[in-house]
């Protein structure tokens, strides 16, 4: 018995010594002391292999529980990213930003949004708001641009701060009120995961002629999402770097085969001029809400970029990737919806599901069309992956007990939750969440506005941000003014509905 106790004490002592060494390494890196030489051409590999502790406030303790020890083992064995919401210090980031890095920013946003779920947004213009082809295309384009501009601004804080997006929100809304934004972001990301996976299941089921259930297709999409998201930022970047290629090809095929059936002459309806104006305004903000929904995640994917990265270049690369991809698929969705009234086969497919309508657009191509529809369905995974990555980080921001659970386990939890909800409520949740997520877009615009005011009206006159205080409650604002403005904005949004 004494031998066993002695061995346990020895093991605990060894673990403590290793942890102290890791923290010392982190301290040397934070001071700018180079203690190892990188030989890998892939800087993301080196970054993810680095210590992940914040040494400014001594608030993050290494390996305090079994889950965290498992996260370290997974990182060492399989390269799973162990870092969560911890700030990435300058010493662990690249020394400069290359043209390829800026191109990667644009490609990530492009790949994540040139997907079928965003195409269904375009369907709502003619089908839900009775808008003609021209009106719906113009309104969808300018609404998308507005939302993309707001998200592009938030994205610039990633390289500048090294903090995740809703960590940055602490500097605007305060330590406790910012958790309201965290909760809302979790709902948004889980909701979009639900919608994306359901749409993937609908398309795969339609291609299979009903022999495959929507549940099976949903589980397929969720499984692939989990495999990529669990590994973290490195595999995520690689996947998004190439995911757009098959999507662009098959969507251009859809333009070619379905384009001649678009209702080019359709006009906007509306019982009165006031009703028509309301419908146009509603679709405008619905189009803006999709890129806006990325604002609470916009920094999460670029915290490994150096603070010397140009904010203007980060802004324009984000805007380029977001706007081009979203505008293209929204216009394509508007075109498909405009043809429903004049094509009986499209109308019949639309009565089944949005996924069936997309599949019907490829019908003239036979087996090749079915293949293209499968590619479109699986393309939704590129949209779910960043959502679940951001969702897992948001769980850690709910409190210190949530922070003790590593990102990888929150990722698994999030994927399981939205998959179960999608399968259990596949006949109801899709429509419910479409309406609900459109409403959720209001809070992102209010938060972006508060962030603009914080930076340009207050921070620039007071010396800017101290990003090292990200986890120091005493150095962060209480957030009473921001919370009041946020809640009043919600009241105004509800009264104006």
């Amino acid at each position: 018995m004494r031998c066993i106790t002695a061995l346990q004490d020895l093991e605990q002592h060894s673990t403590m010594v290793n942890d102290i060494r890791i923290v010392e390494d982190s301290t040397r890196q934070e001071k700018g002391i180079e203690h190892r030489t990188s030989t890998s051409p892939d800087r993301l590999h080196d970054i993810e292999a680095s210590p992940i502790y914040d040494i400014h406030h001594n608030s993050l303790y290494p390996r305090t529980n079994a889950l965290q020890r498992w996260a370290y083992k997974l990182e060492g064995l399989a390269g799973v990213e162990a870092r969560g919401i911890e700030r990435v210090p300058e010493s662990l980031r690249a020394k400069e930003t290359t043209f390829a890095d800026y191109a990667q920013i644009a490609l990530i946003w492009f790949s994540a949004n040139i997907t079928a779920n965003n195409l269904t947004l375009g369907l709502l213009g003619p089908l839900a708001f009775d808008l003609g082809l021209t009106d719906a295309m113009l309104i969808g384009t300018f609404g998308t641009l507005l939302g993309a501009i707001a998200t592009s601004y938030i994205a610039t804080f990633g390289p500048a701060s090294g903090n995740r997006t809703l960590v940055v929100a602490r500097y605007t809304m305060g330590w406790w009120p910012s958790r309201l934004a965290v909760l809302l972001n979790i709902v948004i990301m889980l909701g979009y995961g639900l919608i994306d996976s359901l749409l993937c299941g609908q398309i795969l089921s339609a291609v299979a002629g009903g022999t495959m259930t929507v549940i099976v297709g949903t589980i397929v999409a969720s499984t692939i999402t989990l495999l990529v998201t669990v590994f973290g930022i490195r595999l995520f970047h690689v996947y998004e770097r190439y995911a757009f290629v098959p999507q662009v090809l098959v969507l251009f095929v859809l333009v070619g085969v379905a384009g001649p059936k678009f209702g080019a002459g359709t006009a906007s309806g509306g019982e009165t001029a006031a009703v028509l104006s309301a419908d146009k305004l509603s679709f405008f903000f619905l189009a803006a809400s999709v890129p806006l929904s990325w604002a609470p995640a916009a920094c999460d994917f670029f915290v490994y970029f150096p603070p010397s990265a140009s904010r203007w270049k980060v802004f324009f690369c984000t805007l380029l990737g977001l706007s081009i991809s979203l505008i293209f698929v929204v216009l394509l969705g508007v075109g498909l919806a405009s043809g429903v009234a004049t094509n009986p086969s499209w109308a019949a497919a639309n009565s089944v599901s949005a996924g069936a309508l997309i599949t019907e657009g490829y019908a003239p191509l036979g087996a090749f069309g079915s293949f293209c529809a499968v590619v479109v369905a699986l393309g939704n995974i590129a949209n779910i992956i960043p959502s679940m990555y951001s969702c897992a980080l948001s769980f850690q921001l709910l409190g210190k007990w949530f922070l003790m659970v590593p990102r990888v386990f929150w990722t698994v939890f999030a994927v399981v939750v939205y998959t179960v909800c999608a399968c259990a409520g596949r006949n109801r949740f899709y429509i419910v969440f479409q309406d609900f997520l459109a409403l959720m877009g209001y809070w992102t615009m209010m938060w972006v506005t508060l962030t603009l005011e914080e930076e340009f009206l207050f921070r620039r006159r007071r010396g800017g941000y101290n990003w090292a205080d990200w986890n120091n409650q005493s150095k962060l604002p209480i957030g009473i003014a921001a919370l009041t403005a946020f809640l009043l904005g919600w009241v105004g949004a509800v009264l104006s509905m």
Side-chain angles (χ1 to χ4, degrees), residues 339-412:
V340 168
T342 57
N343 296 281
S345 62
W346 287 18
N350 183 60
S351 66
V352 176
S353 67
L357 175 59
I358 296 171
T359 304
E360 184 63 27
Y362 286 107
L365 300 179
F368 177 69
S370 297
F371 169 77
C372 291
V374 171
V375 174
V376 169
L378 296 178
N380 268 355
I381 295 170
N383 189 269
I384 310 175
I385 288 170
S387 298
M388 291 305 102
Y389 184 85
S390 176
C391 184
L393 296 171
S394 293
F395 275 113
Q396 288 191 316
L397 282 164
L398 289 175
K400 65 177 184 179
W401 296 108
F402 293 87
L403 179 58
M404 294 179 70
V405 179
R407 179 201 63 83
V408 59
F409 297 103
W410 283 122
T411 299
V412 175

Side-chain angles (χ1 to χ4, degrees), residues 261-280:
K261 297 182 181 180
F262 289 176
T266 56
S268 298
E271 297 178 358
T272 64
V275 172
L276 178 58
S277 297
D279 287 340
K280 289 180 178 179

Side-chain angles (χ1 to χ4, degrees), residues 109 150-151 154-155 165 185 189 291-299 444 447-448:
W109 290 116
T151 296
I154 296 297
T165 315
N185 186 53
M189 296 305 166
L292 265 174
S293 66
W294 285 117
C299 302
T444 55
W447 172 64
V448 170

Side-chain angles (χ1 to χ4, degrees), residues 449-488:
T449 302
L450 290 172
T451 305
L452 278 166
E453 293 175 351
E454 177 73 19
E455 179 179 6
F456 292 100
L457 297 182
F458 301 107
R459 292 287 177 173
R460 290 201 171 186
R461 292 189 301 172
R462 300 176 181 177
Y465 298 88
N466 184 355
W467 298 117
D469 291 331
W470 70 275
N471 206 41
N472 189 340
Q473 183 178 355
S474 64
K475 298 293 182 67
L476 296 171
I478 298 175
I480 296 176
L483 178 61
T484 302
F486 188 82
L487 295 177
L488 287 176

Side-chain angles (χ1 to χ4, degrees), residues 101-326:
D101 294 326
Y102 289 118
Q104 177 74 356
I105 294 175
L107 284 177
I108 284 178
W109 290 116
F110 187 84
S111 286
N113 289 281
I114 191 160
T115 51
N117 67 304
N118 293 321
L119 190 151
T120 60
L121 170 65
L123 299 178
L124 298 177
L127 297 179
F129 298 103
D130 199 20
L131 298 178
L133 181 74
T134 302
D135 284 346
M137 284 187 169
L138 287 173
I139 293 169
T141 297
F142 287 106
T144 298
L145 281 173
L146 174 64
I149 288 171
T151 296
S152 299
Y153 163 68
I154 296 297
T156 63
F157 284 96
S161 68
N163 284 316
R164 309 292 188 171
T165 315
L166 293 179
V167 172
V168 175
R170 291 176 173 177
Y171 290 81
T172 300
M173 297 188 67
W175 180 268
W176 291 107
S178 65
R179 300 189 189 191
L180 176 59
V182 170
L183 283 171
L184 292 171
N185 186 53
I186 290 173
V187 173
I188 282 183
M189 296 305 166
L190 288 176
Y192 275 113
L194 184 153
I195 287 178
D196 291 351
S197 60
L198 267 180
L199 183 60
C200 181
Q202 289 176 355
I203 296 175
L204 293 177
S205 178
V207 169
T211 57
M212 174 190 289
T213 65
V214 174
I215 292 178
V216 173
T218 300
I219 293 175
V220 168
S222 298
T223 301
I224 299 175
T225 299
L226 181 62
L227 290 175
V228 176
T229 313
V230 157
F231 280 89
I233 198 71
R234 186 170 178 236
L235 185 56
F236 161 55
H237 271 252
V238 172
Y239 185 92
E240 299 289 350
R241 190 180 303 162
Y242 304 105
F244 75 94
V245 176
Q247 290 300 297
V248 170
L249 294 176
V250 296
L251 288 176
F252 270 112
V253 170
L254 182 59
V255 172
V257 69
K261 297 182 181 180
F262 289 176
T266 56
S268 298
E271 297 178 358
T272 64
V275 172
L276 178 58
S277 297
D279 287 340
K280 289 180 178 179
L281 189 62
S282 296
F283 185 57
F284 177 85
F285 281 104
L286 188 63
S289 70
V290 173
L292 265 174
S293 66
W294 285 117
C299 302
D300 294 347
F301 319 130
F302 310 112
V303 292
Y304 293 104
F305 286 71
S308 60
S310 167
R311 289 191 71 180
W312 279 109
K313 291 180 180 178
V314 172
F315 174 86
F316 282 114
C317 288
T318 302
L319 181 62
L320 187 69
L322 260 178
S323 58
I324 291 179
S325 56
L326 281 170

